[in-house]
Amino acid sequence: MSRSAPARVLARGWCALSALHGRIETHIERALEAGHDLSVREFLMMTLSEQHDGPGGHLRIHRVADSVVLSQSATTHLVTRLEERGLLARYLCPDDRRGIYTNVTPDGLALLAQARPTHDSALREALQNAAKIPELAPLVTAVETLVPSA
């Protein structure tokens, strides 16, 4: 076995993981856009903005940006779009005026409630379809059995 064989194995694994991610994201994107005029990133941004990371506070906007894998500038544009649609609101952290939080508005919560079944169904469909592809099947199993840490 040559020295580059492990690198090729890693590259094939990375390509399979990338393919699975792309298939899932594209399938969910189409379903959310068609049914709710939401992108995957908008859905994730609103879902994450509901989460708390401290007493009485929502996740800081930079933590949300890290979670949806966007730059600070792209996150700002996304939050602005969601604010303009009346789905999110920004507010300053009461303890640290440099910290900015996002909060899902009542309209945003209603849209999330409508979009969640679409998201969940599209995710299941994308995983079922990917499980039929031999290169992706082990990754689908890993995703389906993954238990997130607390």
Side-chain angles (χ1 to χ4, degrees), residues 60-137:
R60 285 187 179 212
I61 203 164
H62 74 273
R63 293 228 11 237
V64 174
D66 290 344
S67 297
V68 290
V69 193
L70 288 175
S71 68
Q72 192 64 43
S73 137
T75 300
T76 299
H77 290 297
L78 180 59
V79 169
T80 299
R81 278 199 321 266
L82 291 168
E83 270 186 316
E84 288 171 354
R85 291 179 61 187
L87 303 173
L88 264 188
R90 277 183 257 216
Y91 64 97
L92 291 176
C93 173
D95 300 333
D96 178 0
R97 302 303 260 165
R98 296 170 297 165
I100 299 173
Y101 292 98
T102 56
N103 196 22
V104 183
T105 66
D107 285 347
L109 291 172
L111 183 57
L112 275 178
Q114 293 169 0
R116 268 198 181 95
T118 302
H119 172 274
D120 295 348
S121 176
L123 175 58
R124 275 191 303 279
E125 288 170 8
L127 289 170
Q128 288 169 351
N129 292 338
K132 297 173 189 169
I133 301 169
E135 301 82 31
L136 301 182

